[in-house]
Amino acid sequence: AQTVTQSQPEMSVQEAETVTLSCTYDTSESNYYLFWYKQPPSRQMILVIRQEAYKQQNATENRFSVNFQKAAKSFSLKISDSQLGDTAMYFCAFMGPSGSRLTFGEGTQLTVNP
Amino acid sequence: ETGVTQTPRHLVMGMTNKKSLKCEQHLGHNAMYWYKQSAKKPLELMFVYNFKEQTENNSVPSRFSPECPNSSHLFLHLHTLQPEDSALYLCASSQDGGGGGGVTGNEQFFGPGTRLTVL
């Protein structure tokens, strides 16, 4: 069974600075998908970024980028130019090749301070 | 309405009550999901429906009973719940997912959740 681990329960960053959230996973699959979701206080879970394991290039979405290290089974999220609206719980999630079941990590609570 | 909607947003019920949670997706997706989010625990997948057929039941107690009358609507019927069932229940949908052999790896879109408190 796949497992996803986020070792940082809480993090904080100053506005306009850069922060990196860590995620590691365990799988025997060679092809899979990885996601970062954001859950602000409104509780609405929103997709931040998606990575396909067969793609070597790291995914980027505006201020959000990932560092995908397949051999190390690591999938960290970098947020540049942090904004107050980035304050949220961030979840790393894994999806295998044969279905759409998502396995989530425990989450990292990120607080952006003014 | 757009995206995925859930009603009610908050629900308080006694252990002997029967209630239902409703989810509706306006995205034309064909797979729908129920998740349970408890404090300090990862999201737990409960049920998966693909083209109205249940494709996954993640060992959920029978006091939770899902119903998917069509690809746009998903219900979670609750009866004789326990206080430990108090949690945020999230609904999600996606396109061609659910283990039905279609395109995989697609994003799941989530609703705002129902905060359930069992007294």
Side-chain angles (χ1 to χ4, degrees), chain A residues 79-109:
Chain A
I79 306 174
S80 304
D81 186 25
S82 297
Q83 301 176 0
L84 297 178
D86 295 333
T87 292
M89 182 74 84
Y90 287 80
F91 292 96
C92 179
F94 173 99
M95 179 186 292
S98 59
S100 55
R101 178 192 179 104
L102 276 173
T103 300
F104 285 86
E106 305 93 330
T108 296
Q109 175 63 50

Side-chain angles (χ1 to χ4, degrees), chain A residues 1-15:
Chain A
Q2 287 83 13
T3 59
V4 178
T5 302
Q6 294 177 248
S7 59
Q8 306 153 312
E10 297 179 357
M11 292 192 73
S12 62
V13 64
Q14 292 299 120
E15 195 174 6

Side-chain angles (χ1 to χ4, degrees), chain B residues 74-105:
Chain B
L74 184 64
F75 295 89
L76 188 62
H77 303 299
L78 317 170
H79 61 99
T80 60
L81 294 191
Q82 304 298 311
E84 59 265 29
D85 296 323
S86 298
L88 180 68
Y89 289 85
L90 292 167
C91 174
S93 71
S94 69
Q95 182 60 32
D96 281 342
V103 176
T104 57

Side-chain angles (χ1 to χ4, degrees), chain A residues 20-39:
Chain A
T20 299
L21 309 183
S22 301
C23 173
T24 59
Y25 57 93
D26 188 23
T27 183
S28 58
E29 304 285 355
S30 59
N31 191 27
Y32 47 86
Y33 307 87
L34 295 164
F35 303 81
W36 277 99
Y37 277 88
K38 164 186 175 180
Q39 188 178 38

Side-chain angles (χ1 to χ4, degrees), chain A residues 62-82:
Chain A
N62 300 315
R63 297 183 295 108
F64 299 88
S65 61
V66 299
N67 184 4
F68 174 49
Q69 301 289 328
K70 191 171 184 179
K73 296 181 182 176
S74 171
F75 183 60
S76 61
L77 174 70
K78 186 172 84 170
I79 306 174
S80 304
D81 186 25
S82 297

